Amino acid sequence: MDADACYRAARARDARFDGLFFTAVKTTRIFCRPVCPARTPLRKNVEYFFNAAAAQAAGYRPCLRCRPEVSPEQPVWAGTSSTVNRALRLIEEGALDSGSTAELAERLGLTDRHLRRLFLEHVGVAPISVAQTRRILFAKKLITETNLPFSEIAFASGFGSLRRFNEALQNTYHRNPKELRRFTPREGDAQVAIELKLHYRPPYDWRGFIAFVGPRAIPGLEEVTSDTYRRNGILVTHDPEKNRVSARIEPENAKALRSISDQIRSFFDLRAHTSEIAAHLSKSVTLKTIVKRHPGLRVPGCWDGFELAVRAMLGQQVTVKGASTLAGRLVQRFGPPKAEVLADANLAVIGLPKARAETMRLFARAVCDGKVRFDASTSSEEMIGRMCELPGIGPWTANYIAMRALADPDAFPAQDLGLLKAARVTSPRRLAEIAEAWRPWRSYAAMHLWESLHEVQ
């Protein structure tokens, strides 16, 4: 970490660095975001941390003015260890809310001791400290932004009891939850929709994002307009002036707020450091002009990994519109895609060729058996290999699934006809060779190439 560069970014209040580091002030023992509006402290009085957990472990408490809990999270691939990145994804999914570090290590094929060593080397703190900081900061976010009772906030944040929730907030902020709340809930507020604000590092190509997910929305599950995305009682809108998306969530989803928050971050790719990605891809003669025209282009994630895989298989050898039509028929007949349902379903009834229907059924069975997983317990490379072993699943389908369902920033479906056309090459092998220079951001390169096909030539 270049401390002088961090100091310059903090003095400029540069939002592109928000969440990539935190400024800890030695005199006040408070740590802040780079965009904190408070007066910039003297250089000699600050030190920097890559993450909030390390700052808290060093004895600093979060700033109540700039609110580190709302900063964009780092992309899980920002570190240098793929194993640590997978562990961080599992922690985001709640692996340490009810499980132990030893159980987390076992899921990753490691010993508890080795996992702790890797975290100290790459993150600066132990896994349990990362999990605890995530719980505290998310709880603080809910206290500040919602009218939920403290008991609901405690469990939605991953705390096992109200007592632990109160103790953690008191130890971190030197205040109890009531003192942190900005308003007093009124009677009947529990029936009002919950609004969460999730920030990102600018720029964000919202138009490009909507142009991609809109035609691929599954009828009966998703609704997409130029301004909104709606699904299952959740409405997401874009607030570009404040570099964030706002999610309006129905009260019945209150218990799942943390997982919903993570799903939104993943679906809208809010963790991406698009300036860094653009700087790398712009070195390519093929991509330089395209990347410049689309600052902040993201890789859309998914709401459910298996659902996205089904959508990808429906898209084999048909148009985007045709795949969406088939997806709508599937939802109407079988409900939202679930592996345990489709593993024994007669999928040919929605108009699928028998071979494609069998491919989907076998894929669903592989998910039920644990051979194919959409969590981070297995690397993306291994999952791509396992998927390609299944009948009817080739490199295009497996890599597309890895891009969106496994959040792999470096997956690349080189066989895609659109990518070949955009890159002006005819051989997938040649395209794969060219794309080597785009690592580790080949998924973003693919999005830029697809986007260029919609431009007027």
Side-chain angles (χ1 to χ4, degrees), residues 313 316 342-349 352-366 390-393:
M313 287 182 279
Q316 293 174 341
L342 300 190
D344 298 312
N346 176 17
L347 296 169
V349 298
L352 280 180
K354 290 185 178 180
R356 186 89 49 81
E358 182 65 7
T359 292
M360 290 179 60
R361 192 187 67 79
L362 292 175
F363 189 94
R365 177 54 56 195
L390 298 172
I393 303 294

Side-chain angles (χ1 to χ4, degrees), residues 6-38:
C6 289
Y7 190 71
R8 290 195 298 271
R11 287 189 65 182
R13 313 292 197 276
D14 195 330
R16 293 175 300 171
F17 296 90
D18 193 9
L20 297 180
F21 69 87
F22 293 93
T23 303
V25 185
K26 299 175 183 178
T27 52
T28 63
R29 306 306 296 174
I30 290 173
F31 72 92
C32 303
R33 300 158 62 193
V35 295
C36 186

Side-chain angles (χ1 to χ4, degrees), residues 192-209:
V192 177
I194 301 160
E195 292 193 16
L196 290 183
K197 300 173 179 63
L198 304 172
H199 291 68
Y200 58 79
R201 280 170 288 275
Y204 194 114
D205 186 356
W206 178 260
R207 185 202 64 80
F209 183 91

Side-chain angles (χ1 to χ4, degrees), residues 218 221 231 263 301-314 327 330 334-345 347 357 359-369 372-375 387 390 393 397 401 404-406:
I218 299 178
L221 284 183
R231 173 192 180 108
Q263 285 174 314
C302 68
W303 207 260
D304 176 86
F306 178 72
E307 177 187 297
L308 186 280
V310 167
R311 179 63 179 72
M313 287 182 279
L314 290 173
L330 185 145
F334 301 103
K338 300 295 181 185
E340 58 272 20
V341 174
L342 300 190
D344 298 312
L347 296 169
T359 292
M360 290 179 60
R361 192 187 67 79
L362 292 175
F363 189 94
R365 177 54 56 195
V367 172
C368 290
D369 294 342
V372 174
R373 304 177 63 94
F374 297 103
D375 59 21
M387 286 189 283
L390 298 172
I393 303 294
T397 305
I401 293 172
R404 299 192 58 194
L406 301 179

